[in-house]
Amino acid sequence: MPLGTGEPAPDFTLPGTDGTAEGRRSYSLSELHGQPVVLVFYPADRSPVCTVQLATYSADISRFATLGAAVLAISPQSVDEHEAFVAAEGGFAFPLLSDEDKAVGRAYGILGPLGFYRRSVFVIDRNGVVRWAHRSPSGLTFRSVDELVDVLGSLPAT
């Protein structure tokens, strides 16, 4: 059953990279407790829509940061594949995490009928509760920064 709003966000620890040597490490949702988090599930590195989505969010990272929000992007590719993607695109402003066994995708209910990632975004509040979720049925579009910033701005301060 898909994870819904008002439910605790499942914690996870995944390997990832921000494109730097020190940024290649494990990342946990719980380490961000106390600040809002935007979890971006995307189907594949180097695909056209995914590349535009991540570049758009990266270009507007200051809008997320102004609201104290962290952004984490998750896909089923390996950390090595993520590093190659980050290098080819000139970097992103947030880490790319590797969910190779799709366990986190399953926990968030974003896997499609054939087990592929659906383009999805979750906004998690400072207390680790899902406050907004969008799962795209087709994956050909993504949620705008304006929409995500509006959701983040509506979260309670505590």
Side-chain angles (χ1 to χ4, degrees), residues 33-63:
H33 190 75
Q35 70 182 106
V37 177
V38 177
L39 282 185
V40 179
F41 291 91
Y42 68 101
D45 292 345
R46 298 180 190 238
S47 68
V49 177
C50 296
T51 301
V52 171
Q53 178 184 21
L54 298 181
T56 299
Y57 294 170
S58 194
D60 282 336
I61 196 68
S62 64
R63 295 184 66 199

Side-chain angles (χ1 to χ4, degrees), residues 1 5 13 19 24 27-28 44 64 66 70 98-99 121 134-135 139:
M1 189 152 130
T5 58
T13 299
R24 185 180 178 128
Y27 293 83
S28 296
F64 296 109
T66 297
S98 177
D99 183 25
V121 179
H134 181 270
R135 293 170 186 84

Side-chain angles (χ1 to χ4, degrees), residues 80-126:
D80 288 339
E81 289 172 289
H82 286 338
E83 285 185 336
F85 178 44
V86 169
E89 295 303 318
F92 295 108
F94 41 80
L96 306 184
L97 311 186
S98 177
D99 183 25
E100 288 186 87
D101 66 0
K102 301 179 184 174
V104 176
R106 237 181 322 285
Y108 280 79
I110 60 94
L111 299 181
L114 300 175
F116 293 108
Y117 259 43
R118 284 190 173 138
R119 185 176 316 285
S120 305
V121 179
F122 291 78
V123 174
I124 300 166
D125 72 12
R126 290 168 175 76

Side-chain angles (χ1 to χ4, degrees), residues 52 54 78 90 95 136 144:
V52 171
L54 298 181
S78 71
S136 179
S144 72

